[in-house]
Amino acid sequence: MRPSSRLASMPAAVASPAAAPAAVAVSLNGSRDAGDGPAVPMSPGALAESALAAVAAGAGEVLVHPRTPCGRESLSPRVVGPVLEVLRRTGVGVALSVSVGIAAEPDPAGRLERVASWTVLPDRAVVDFGQPGAGELARALLARGVAVDAVVPMGGAAGPEPLARFLAWPVREPGRVRLSAELAAADPALVAGLRGLPPVPVLLYGRDAAAWPVLRLAARCGTGVRTGVGDVTQLPGGRPARSNAELVAAARDMVAEAAATAASR
C-alpha cells in the first residue's frame, strides 16, 4: 500500500490505517505522585476533574493509573471500578484506558487474576510488551472485550526484545489492538523500524525530555499522539504545566501546525 502524499517525505511513514490521524490521548497521572506537583491528579474526584478539562481542551482518550487512597497503583477491582465509575458518572464521554503494568502488580499471574476479577471494565488497557507475560495478559483483556494498547519501548536501553515480542504475538485485530511505541528520542530511524508491521493503528509518544520532540514527529507522521502529566510536566517552552488541559491544548496546537505544514506542500 502506497503511503499518502502527506507521509511520503517522512523517512518511515507508517502506512494506512496506522497513519490515520487520531485524537490526542491524555495520560492523566502515569507513575507520578503528589510530590511531582499540583498538576498531578490522584484521587478519583481529582482525576475526573482533570479528565473533563482535558477532554474540553481536545483530548479524545483518557489513560489513568488507578491508585489506592494511600497513593499506590493498584489493579484491584475495588480500586479500578470506582475510578472508572466516577469518570463516567461525571461525564467523561471518551474512551477510558487503564494501565496494567508491573507497578500495579509485579507478578504476571497476579495481573491475570486482577483482570479476571474486574467488575467494571475500561474501554482499553495499556499492556507493556517490555514486561513478562504481556502476550497472555493482552489476550485475556481482549477476551473480556477490552481493547489493547500494546506498548513497545524503542531506543535507549529498551533493546530489540519488546518489538520482537510484539511481532511474535499472534493477535492482529486492527479494531481492537493498537501499537503504542514509546520512543526514547525523536529519532526517525526508530520510526523506520515500524515499517512493514502488521496493519494495526500506531501511536507514538515519549516521556519527559523526549515527550515534545516525539509528539512533533508523531504529528508529522500522522500517527496517534499522547501527552499529559503522566508523560511530561512541562510545556514545549519549558514552563511547568498547570494542568493536563494545558498539555493537551499545546499538543493540539502542535498537531494542527503539522497538518497545516503538510497541506501547504
Side-chain angles (χ1 to χ4, degrees):
M1 183 177 296
R2 290 173 59 91
S4 69
S5 60
R6 177 183 174 188
L7 299 174
S9 62
M10 293 304 299
V14 182
S16 177
V24 177
V26 60
S27 176
L28 292 181
N29 54 353
S31 61
R32 304 192 194 277
D33 57 31
D36 290 304
V40 182
M42 297 294 290
S43 69
L47 288 166
E49 182 180 355
S50 184
L52 285 169
V55 170
E61 299 178 21
V62 169
L63 167 62
V64 62
H65 290 56
R67 284 179 165 79
T68 65
C70 64
R72 185 179 65 84
E73 289 189 49
S74 174
L75 298 180
S76 166
R78 294 191 298 271
V79 176
V80 174
V83 169
L84 294 174
E85 288 175 334
V86 167
L87 290 170
R88 288 175 174 144
R89 186 170 62 247
T90 54
V92 181
V94 300
L96 300 180
S97 298
V98 169
S99 174
V100 289
I102 61 174
E105 174 53 66
D107 178 46
R111 290 198 292 277
L112 287 170
E113 291 175 3
R114 289 300 197 185
V115 166
S117 70
W118 285 351
T119 55
V120 180
L121 297 178
D123 300 292
R124 310 188 68 89
V126 175
V127 179
D128 191 336
F129 272 67
Q131 298 175 359
E136 188 177 2
L137 179 59
R139 283 193 295 269
L141 287 158
L142 290 171
R144 296 216 63 192
V146 179
V148 168
D149 276 326
V151 171
V152 175
M154 300 182 68
E161 289 81 8
L163 182 57
R165 193 174 292 132
F166 174 74
L167 291 174
W169 189 51
V171 181
R172 296 290 180 262
E173 299 183 48
R176 299 206 298 152
V177 175
R178 177 171 61 188
L179 170 62
S180 293
E182 180 185 340
L183 305 187
D187 183 354
L190 294 176
V191 185
L194 302 179
R195 285 187 298 185
L197 290 182
V200 296
V202 173
L203 181 148
L204 304 178
Y205 72 100
R207 298 182 188 274
D208 297 318
W212 293 112
V214 170
L215 194 147
R216 186 174 289 107
L217 176 63
R220 290 169 56 206
C221 289
T223 71
V225 301
R226 195 179 94 179
T227 190
V229 297
D231 294 338
V232 62
T233 57
Q234 293 183 329
L235 294 167
R239 178 173 64 83
R242 292 175 293 184
S243 66
N244 277 301
E246 268 199 325
L247 293 166
V248 169
R252 294 286 294 179
D253 288 345
M254 197 170 286
V255 171
E257 180 182 354
T261 299
S264 67
R265 289 175 180 167

